[in-house]
Amino acid sequence: MNVAVPIWKRAVASQIDQFIFQTPAKLVEKTIRKKLWPDKKVKRYYLPTLVTIAGEVYFLLNKNGQTIGDQVVGIKVVSQDGRPLSLEQVVKRTLYKDVVYPATLGLPLLKALQQIKAGKETELPHDEFAHTKLISTR
């Protein structure tokens, strides 16, 4: 298995997507919480995570395997077997990235990045789990 695109492209695409999906969601959640509980400080945001998951699933299924960030940096998520992405693949990949990584403090990702740095061929855990891979579109 090969990592089809440089890690920096993945990171930049991810940051673009997080900014697009999470910024408005954080503002909405903060406003709602201030109205419901005016004396409480907002410490954790739940809506942005849900919006990010829904946005990524929508874009990967309906926009040819590309989120907005993916389009900007020129990458695309595809099935390892060449078939169109399935709902199951997209949900598995997205949940692994947005739930498993934070719950495990990113340890699976750190391990994979160490292997890549050491020159070993490996795929990132969320792509391996969902049987997907990233390819360059330009």
Side-chain angles (χ1 to χ4, degrees):
M1 288 182 285
N2 284 340
V3 174
V5 297
I7 294 298
W8 72 265
K9 279 191 170 187
R10 288 177 180 258
V12 170
S14 178
Q15 290 302 308
I16 291 169
D17 291 337
Q18 283 186 9
F19 178 77
I20 289 169
F21 294 133
Q22 290 190 3
T23 302
K26 281 182 181 179
L27 293 172
V28 167
E29 183 167 340
K30 193 171 190 173
T31 303
I32 291 169
R33 285 190 181 192
K34 276 188 176 180
K35 288 191 186 266
L36 295 176
W37 301 286
D39 299 331
K40 268 191 169 180
K41 278 195 168 192
V42 176
K43 293 183 182 175
R44 297 186 191 268
Y45 293 99
Y46 299 103
L47 183 62
T49 301
L50 295 174
V51 169
T52 300
I53 289 170
E56 189 167 334
V57 168
Y58 170 80
F59 275 94
L60 291 178
L61 285 175
N62 296 302
K63 299 296 181 186
N64 201 24
Q66 291 182 298
T67 62
I68 295 167
D70 295 343
Q71 291 171 13
V72 170
V73 299
I75 58 178
K76 178 180 176 176
V77 179
V78 296
S79 267
Q80 286 179 347
D81 61 9
R83 291 187 292 167
L85 289 172
S86 69
L87 176 62
E88 179 185 359
Q89 283 178 299
V90 170
V91 169
K92 285 171 79 171
R93 183 180 192 275
T94 302
L95 288 178
Y96 200 107
K97 280 178 43 188
D98 295 335
V99 177
V100 173
Y101 285 158
T104 61
L105 304 175
L107 293 177
L109 179 60
L110 292 174
K111 184 179 176 187
L113 292 174
Q114 284 178 329
Q115 290 176 336
I116 291 168
K117 188 176 178 184
K120 296 179 183 172
E121 292 183 4
T122 187
E123 190 61 66
L124 293 183
H126 55 276
D127 284 316
E128 200 170 293
F129 179 68
H131 305 290
T132 59
K133 63 182 178 179
L134 234 52
I135 61 169
S136 185
T137 59
R138 41 182 137 125

